[in-house]
Every structure is written in C-alpha cells, then in structure tokens.
Amino acid sequence: MSGSSRFRTFIRELTLLADQRLDEPAMLQAAKPLMSDLISNDEWLPDAFARPDERTYQQYLLHCDPLERFSLVSFVWGPGQETPIHDHTVWGLLGVLRGSETSQRYQIAEGAMQPEGALETLESGDIDMVSPTIGDIHKVKNGSLSKSSVSIHLYGGNIGAINRHAYARDANIKTFRSGYSLNVTPNFWEHK
C-alpha cells in the first residue's frame, strides 16, 4: 500500500467509525488497529510535518473531520523536549512513529499533582490511550537526548481548538488551547 493510500484508508475507516457514534471504549478499541496499521510504516508522513523545532515540540494538523469528531496530528519532539502536565478532555490514541517517548500519568491528590503508576516508555509502533474515563492527565517527553521523535495522535475532537488544562505541581490549573504549528495541512488526496 502506498503512503498516501495508507493515510486515505485510515481517514476513510475513521470517518465510518465516527458515523457509527460508538461510545468511547468501543471507539478506542475499534480505532486502535487502524492506528497500529498507520504507524507500522512512516513513508506516508511528509517531511514538512516531521520537522522539529529547537525551541519546543511541534503539533502539526494532518486531518480534521469536517464535523470535528476527530483529528489526526503529528507531534515532533526535538531532543529532550517535553510537555507540561496536561489533559485532553477527549479520548485519544497516541502512537509512536519514529523514535521513543516517555509518559508519566498524574492524578490530583491532597491538593497536588501526584504520579500515577510507573513511567512508561513507548517505542516505535507502540500505542497509548488517554481519555477522561481511563486517565487523561500526563506529561510526555522525547525518550532521546540526541535525536528527534515523531508520534501520531488521534483525538476525539479538533484537539487544537479544544479548551484543555495544564497543571502545575501544586495542582494549579491553567486553561489553554494548543492550536497547531502550521496553518496548512498535507495533501494526501492526490491519486498517482
């Protein structure tokens, strides 16, 4: 399967799933094998949507459903870059395409952010899930101090336009909208 064909198939199948109006657990389970297939090969991702920035990680919009039922984003992490502790407020599948990432989940306990569970390391091909019902607060970091990492994130909404939250260690909450690092999306629709 060609790169653009792999991407178009993914979007088509996700759209059909969204049309079914599945509940969150069913959507996560149905979408996970599609994500696994998408990240099994990285030739489909254009170079412009895999470029790191030396200052901060990049969030590139690859596709947003016209009804904003889901969005697909490439996250590009320079060496050692990390997010603040944050949430998503919607379900998400996070798949590592290139490199590795570490993720630490958190919960609010006794007025502070407390780590929940062990630090997780995700390698190329691994997928993590987040949602308000299964755990939505975490901090992500590039697993390498010397090279970039790229992950593909599928969210149950237009993630760049959703009000989300960043958490300080003392559980002080700041609302934010992440937006996107570019004002363009890739053209995967050209048939060759």
Side-chain angles (χ1 to χ4, degrees), residues 26 97 154:
L97 186 67
L154 172 66

Side-chain angles (χ1 to χ4, degrees), residues 28-82:
L28 284 166
Q29 289 308 311
K32 188 174 180 182
L34 300 175
M35 175 65 88
S36 183
D37 183 62
L38 183 67
I39 65 171
S40 69
N41 181 307
D42 70 356
E43 70 183 31
W44 59 269
L45 184 65
D47 291 342
F49 299 88
R51 275 196 198 111
D53 182 280
E54 63 185 35
R55 294 165 290 165
T56 187
Y57 62 90
Q58 300 295 290
Q59 179 173 300
Y60 299 117
L61 177 64
L62 301 175
H63 179 80
C64 184
D65 172 68
L67 301 177
E68 297 183 286
R69 299 174 295 180
F70 65 88
S71 58
L72 189 70
V73 180
S74 67
F75 272 79
V76 183
W77 313 84
Q81 290 177 345
E82 63 186 340

Side-chain angles (χ1 to χ4, degrees), residues 75-141:
F75 272 79
V76 183
W77 313 84
Q81 290 177 345
E82 63 186 340
T83 67
I85 301 170
H86 66 282
D87 66 16
H88 309 87
T89 74
V90 296
W91 61 263
L93 288 170
L94 322 171
V96 178
L97 186 67
R98 301 174 190 158
S100 69
E101 297 171 12
T102 60
S103 177
Q104 176 65 60
R105 293 184 186 269
Y106 287 86
Q107 64 182 345
I108 300 173
E110 300 177 18
M113 298 308 299
Q114 302 292 332
E116 180 178 33
L119 183 68
E120 298 175 49
T121 299
L122 301 171
E123 302 292 340
S124 182
D126 290 340
I127 297 173
D128 195 10
M129 294 186 210
V130 295
S131 82
T133 57
I134 63 173
D136 189 39
I137 303 172
H138 70 173
K139 179 178 184 172
V140 180
K141 183 176 181 178

Side-chain angles (χ1 to χ4, degrees), residues 87-90 158-165 175-178:
D87 66 16
H88 309 87
T89 74
V90 296
N158 181 356
I159 198 66
I162 293 173
N163 285 335
R164 300 163 56 200
H165 309 96
T175 300
F176 74 97
R177 284 188 183 189
S178 62

